[in-house]
């Protein structure tokens, strides 16, 4: 949730100047950081009510900048290939 500034601009307006962490995966308490950033931007809703929006709106390009997502994507692709091979693909 802390990787895509565009989602913050969607929530807080085009003038939002959220200072997203340079290395979001290093945040000790990312939920606390998210809450602080939203509050600083004038958001009154609880961050938990916005998780779905973040999940729907975050760009894959932004996620692909994160090492953990890169590993997840590579592992997922390998799992799909393994299932395909077990089913006799490609034919």
């Amino acid at each position: 949730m802390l990787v895509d500034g565009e989602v913050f601009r969607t929530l807080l307006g085009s003038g939002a100047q959220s200072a997203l962490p340079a290395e979001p995966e290093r945040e000790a308490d990312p939920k606390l950081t998210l809450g602080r950033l939203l509050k600083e931007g004038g958001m009154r809703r609880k961050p938990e009510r916005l998780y779905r929006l973040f999940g729907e709106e975050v760009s894959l390009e932004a996620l692909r900048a994160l090492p953990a997502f890169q590993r997840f994507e590579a592992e997922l692709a390998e799992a799909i290939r393994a299932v395909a091979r077990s089913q006799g693909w490609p034919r």
Side-chain angles (χ1 to χ4, degrees), residues 54-86:
F54 276 95
E56 292 172 349
E57 298 294 325
V58 68
S59 77
L60 285 176
E61 181 180 329
L63 288 172
R64 285 182 175 128
L66 300 173
F69 188 81
Q70 292 168 12
R71 285 188 303 277
F72 164 75
E73 196 170 39
E75 289 170 7
L76 179 60
E78 181 51 40
I80 291 170
R81 284 191 290 274
V83 168
R85 283 190 301 269
S86 75

Side-chain angles (χ1 to χ4, degrees), residues 23-91:
E23 295 184 57
E25 293 178 314
R26 291 187 175 262
E27 288 296 305
D29 190 342
K31 289 180 182 178
L32 183 65
T33 302
L34 175 65
R36 178 182 53 78
L37 292 171
L38 292 172
K39 186 175 181 180
E40 288 172 0
M43 179 61 62
R44 296 188 188 276
R45 288 204 232 154
K46 292 184 177 188
E48 298 83 25
R49 303 193 75 180
L50 301 170
Y51 292 167
R52 180 177 175 177
L53 176 72
F54 276 95
E56 292 172 349
E57 298 294 325
V58 68
S59 77
L60 285 176
E61 181 180 329
L63 288 172
R64 285 182 175 128
L66 300 173
F69 188 81
Q70 292 168 12
R71 285 188 303 277
F72 164 75
E73 196 170 39
E75 289 170 7
L76 179 60
E78 181 51 40
I80 291 170
R81 284 191 290 274
V83 168
R85 283 190 301 269
S86 75
Q87 299 298 312
W89 287 85
R91 293 182 180 176

Side-chain angles (χ1 to χ4, degrees), residues 1-6 8 20-21 24 58-59 61-66:
M1 287 186 244
L2 299 174
V3 69
D4 191 348
E6 198 57 40
F8 281 88
L20 296 180
V58 68
S59 77
E61 181 180 329
L63 288 172
R64 285 182 175 128
L66 300 173

